[in-house]
């Protein structure tokens, strides 16, 4: 590629910032952890990027009584903590502070609601981010209507967890549905806001290369791994009521699985995409107990184990889970999906690996180390893609084959713009303002996911299964290796 071509290519690839409509965004729970770590710093970064138009406003709302100056000081602290120094531009920060307002509000009482109502304007997009416990969703939704704050065009954003089983998810959906239409409800799964996850759709549906091979005739198996190095310290008793299946598999891993397994939607349109994802969830087979491995990290070198972190010596909640999952349809018959996620593992990494079958016949019979093609989609760290292909090892000495990676790191491929990929929350909040629900879960999708998850959890509860122990810093329980070995396969190494 010549220098000029390279430049043109890169110019075409970099993200373009398209300003959204003028909006009023009310963040309920503005004093909480999620708002301080993700939502408010993310909004500042979008402001700096020029995506938030003049006249837009961000209104913090929480129970705490705070003056506007105190709220601005809190936001400035969040930016100082969670935005990289080169992005802390004093002028942009001052302008950003000027678009902030704050209302002390009680979701369960009447305090603050008239003040919020008085702040609302006609003719701008109204969005309400419910960054509060789900038990408050109904109260807030009801009061938004009672005080005439929400209108038919308003949007609400709700956080996970969306229920803890099918019954609670249904109840939550019913609560929201009694106040808002489905087109107004944005259920966030921040995994869907990750650049690579969206790229998965681009790779599949914007190239002719992969789709003809994207089925059980050519794909041997799929591995989805979300590994964390941290434990549950600090929120152990909360986590103990949930576990890896509810906390990660039912939502994040399920969404990744859907994007790999779904049929091409007729258009890149919210309902077209979500219809196809729903079909995948409905096609998931029940999982046999022998296809499930659960684990709890053990105490080591003086560091507490899971049960100590959870403050529950009898806990049977898993901090690790691996499952062998089958999508029962024409495309995926006999191609298993192996899912695993856990805490205190060897490395912090999230990836999807699609392992293709070996060619039907090798003409290089004498070549040792015959291996398969693998497409690896890295979500973190270093978002990118890597396709392992076989080539001839250079030099004399006959036809020796070697597997090499065709590696594409977004940061490298896209230069500085690629290194500056917006955080998933930033992208998703801007999608809310644009009114684009493609990357948000629909109510029926969430319910279908729970309908598949519930019997699995009920099964191990009824059997009284105990998770096995695994050492921190490893790739999880030994039994999980067997899940693969007995199928003649092996997990990819958990490494950064
Ligand atoms: N933190 C995360 O990383 C994370 C990740 C994914 C999902 N989530 C979800 O996001 C939501 C918020 O989580 P969080 O970690 O930010 O929680 P948090 O730190 O406990 O914050 C809760 C927020 O809710 C406000 N609040 C509580 N009761 C209220 C009431 N009666 N009226 C008005 N406001 C009230 C609190 O205000 P005061 O402090 O002023 O009382 C605070 O701003 C939860 O649903 C959580 O499951 C969080």
């Amino acid at each position: 590629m010549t220098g000029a071509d390279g430049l043109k290519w890169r110019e075409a690839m970099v993200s373009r910032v398209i300003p959204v409509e003028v909006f009023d965004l009310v963040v309920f729970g503005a004093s909480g952890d999620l708002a301080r770590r993700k939502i408010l710093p993310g909004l500042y970064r979008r402001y700096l990027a020029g995506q938030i138009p003049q006249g837009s406003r961000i209104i913090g709302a929480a129970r705490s009584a705070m003056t506007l100056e105190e709220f601005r000081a809190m936001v400035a602290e969040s930016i100082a903590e969670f935005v990289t120094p080169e992005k802390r531009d004093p002028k942009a920060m001052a302008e950003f502070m000027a678009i902030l307002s704050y209302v002390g509000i009680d979701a369960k009482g009447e305090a603050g609601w008239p003040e919020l109502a008085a702040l609302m304007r006609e003719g701008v997009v109204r969005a309400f981010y419910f960054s509060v416990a789900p038990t408050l969703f109904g109260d807030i939704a009801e009061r938004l209507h009672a005080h005439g704050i929400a209108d038919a065009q308003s949007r609400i954003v709700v956080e996970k967890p969306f229920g803890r089983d099918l019954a609670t998810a249904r109840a939550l959906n019913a609560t929201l549905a009694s106040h808002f239409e489905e087109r107004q409800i944005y259920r966030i799964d921040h995994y869907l806001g990750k650049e690579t996850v969206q790229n998965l759709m681009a790779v599949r549906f914007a190239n002719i290369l992969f789709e003809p091979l994207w089925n059980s005739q050519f794909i041997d198996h799929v591995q989805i791994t979300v590994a964390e190095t941290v434990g549950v310290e600090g929120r152990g008793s909360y986590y103990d009521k949930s576990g890896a299946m509810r906390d990660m598999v039912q939502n994040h891993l399920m969404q990744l699985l859907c994007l790999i397994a779904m049929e091409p939607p007729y258009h890149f349109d919210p309902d077209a995409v979500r219809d196809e994802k729903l079909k995948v969830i409905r096609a998931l087979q029940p999982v046999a107990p022998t296809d499930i491995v659960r684990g709890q990290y053990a105490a080591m070198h003086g560091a507490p184990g899971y049960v100590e972190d959870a403050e529950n010596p009898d806990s049977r909640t898993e901090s690790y889970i691996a499952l062998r999952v089958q999508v029962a349809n024409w495309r995926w018959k006999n191609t298993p999906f192996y899912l695993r996620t856990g805490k205190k593992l060897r490395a912090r990494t999230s990836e999807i690996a699609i392992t293709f079958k070996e060619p039907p016949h090798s003409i290089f019979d004498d070549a040792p180390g015959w291996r398969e093609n693998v497409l690896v989609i890295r979500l973190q760290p270093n978002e990118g893609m890597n396709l392992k292909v076989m080539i001839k090892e250079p030099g004399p000495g006959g036809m020796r084959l070697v597997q090499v990676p065709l590696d594409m790191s977004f940061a490298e491929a896209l230069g500085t713009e690629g290194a500056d990929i917006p955080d998933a929350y930033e992208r998703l909040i801007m999608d809310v303002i644009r009114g684009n629900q493609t990357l948000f879960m629909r109510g029926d999708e969430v319910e279908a996911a729970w309908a598949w998850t519930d019997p699995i959890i009920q099964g191990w509860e009824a059997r009284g299964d105990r998770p096995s122990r695994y050492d921190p810093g490893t790739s999880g329980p030994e039994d999980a290796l067997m899940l693969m070995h007995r199928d003649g396969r092996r997990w990819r190494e958990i490494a950064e």
Side-chain angles (χ1 to χ4, degrees), residues 29 31-34 37 63-64 105-107 131-132 159-161:
S31 58
D33 178 67
L34 183 68
R37 278 193 310 113
R63 209 170 24 182
S64 305
I105 214 159
D106 182 5
S131 181
V132 294
E159 269 296 339
K160 84 163 200 182

Side-chain angles (χ1 to χ4, degrees), residues 114-163:
E115 288 85 336
L116 182 60
L119 278 178
M120 300 318 287
R121 299 174 294 172
E122 292 302 322
V124 301
V125 172
R126 286 183 195 182
F128 302 95
Y129 199 130
F130 291 13
S131 181
V132 294
T135 46
L136 297 179
F137 289 178
D139 295 303
I140 294 178
E142 196 182 308
R143 284 167 178 76
L144 282 175
H145 284 289
H147 291 271
I149 299 170
D151 60 23
Q153 299 314 318
S154 300
R155 290 136 211 193
I156 61 164
V157 185
V158 296
E159 269 296 339
K160 84 163 200 182
F162 202 86

